[in-house]
Amino acid sequence: MSGQGTVVGADGLARCPWGLEAESMADYRVYHDTEWGRAVRGDDALYERICLEAFQSGLSWLTILRRREGFRAAFADFRIKAVAEFTEADEQRLLADPGIIRNRAKITATIGNARAAAELAEGELEELIWSFAPDPATRPVPRTFADVPAITPESTALSRELKKRGFRFVGPTTAYALMQACGLVNDHLADCHVRDLVGQSGSGASPQVSGP
């Protein structure tokens, strides 16, 4: 898939290749068409994306996507103030929850990231993340998946800043996946029917998908 351009589906619409999977992966198609690359605003919504991108590390995004409601239920809808108050008992509860990925390091990081976010003023997390959005005019429009980077100078800088604030599981690749998913960059391919729509969207409520 690395060098593949857009693919036209049975509905006649051209999509990024990862957005046109087998019917068993129709969740990807819906996510591609309605969420990925659309602007996400709000501290809690962005905190959720940070957490889900961290859980996705080393796994298929589809694994996370299909457990998203389980994650929301387990982590108090990703409300920063609520998760920041989780206790050892909550951590043990999460480790036993089949609705999420039961990885101790990622669970601990999610709670720790809530505490780091809670140290910021209201709106500061959103302002911090969006301050690393590059000027669209400086970015070439990708025509194939080979044109889409895995990291950029901006994602490296964002990763560094989040780590300085106490966030974990936010390396440059994860930071770039966050930027893609939350609309800081538009990595829909040139001929993808969604590309010209993403700038018209408002906040999403959830989640690389770094393009699988």
Side-chain angles (χ1 to χ4, degrees), residues 7 18 20-21 32 37 41 44 50 56 64 67 72 79 84 100 106 121 125 150 164 175 177 187 191 193 202 204:
V7 178
W18 66 266
L20 190 64
E21 295 283 353
H32 168 274
R41 297 283 185 174
D44 288 347
I50 290 171
Q56 187 269 337
I64 304 303
R67 288 173 169 77
R72 288 173 173 168
R79 287 176 285 112
I100 66 171
K106 293 177 180 180
L125 180 61
K164 188 168 75 174
D187 275 345
D191 295 328
H193 84 279

Side-chain angles (χ1 to χ4, degrees), residues 23-41:
E23 192 59 35
S24 62
M25 296 185 180
D27 296 22
Y28 267 153
R29 191 154 48 251
V30 173
Y31 180 75
H32 168 274
D33 287 3
T34 64
E35 291 189 59
W36 192 71
R38 299 182 187 240
V40 176
R41 297 283 185 174

Side-chain angles (χ1 to χ4, degrees), residues 106-180:
K106 293 177 180 180
I107 288 170
T108 301
T110 298
I111 297 170
N113 287 348
R115 292 170 182 161
E119 292 294 318
L120 304 176
E122 184 175 352
E124 189 175 354
L125 180 61
E126 176 186 328
E127 182 179 357
L128 185 157
I129 290 173
W130 275 89
S131 71
F132 290 91
D135 181 352
T138 67
R139 290 176 52 82
V141 178
R143 303 203 67 85
T144 74
F145 221 67
D147 299 328
V148 178
I151 61 173
T152 63
E154 292 86 359
S155 76
T156 301
L158 173 57
S159 169
R160 185 182 304 118
E161 185 62 28
L162 287 171
K163 288 178 179 179
K164 188 168 75 174
R165 304 294 183 110
F167 288 82
R168 288 176 283 169
F169 276 92
V170 287
T173 301
T174 298
Y176 191 65
L178 176 74
M179 294 172 70
Q180 290 176 304

Side-chain angles (χ1 to χ4, degrees), residues 29-75:
R29 191 154 48 251
V30 173
Y31 180 75
H32 168 274
D33 287 3
T34 64
E35 291 189 59
W36 192 71
R38 299 182 187 240
V40 176
R41 297 283 185 174
D43 292 345
D44 288 347
L46 287 164
Y47 164 68
E48 176 182 7
R49 296 298 185 104
I50 290 171
C51 297
L52 293 176
E53 295 295 347
F55 273 104
Q56 187 269 337
S57 179
L59 301 171
S60 160
W61 173 244
L62 190 61
T63 299
I64 304 303
L65 189 59
R66 289 179 171 171
R67 288 173 169 77
R68 183 162 54 176
E69 293 308 319
F71 276 108
R72 288 173 173 168
F75 286 99

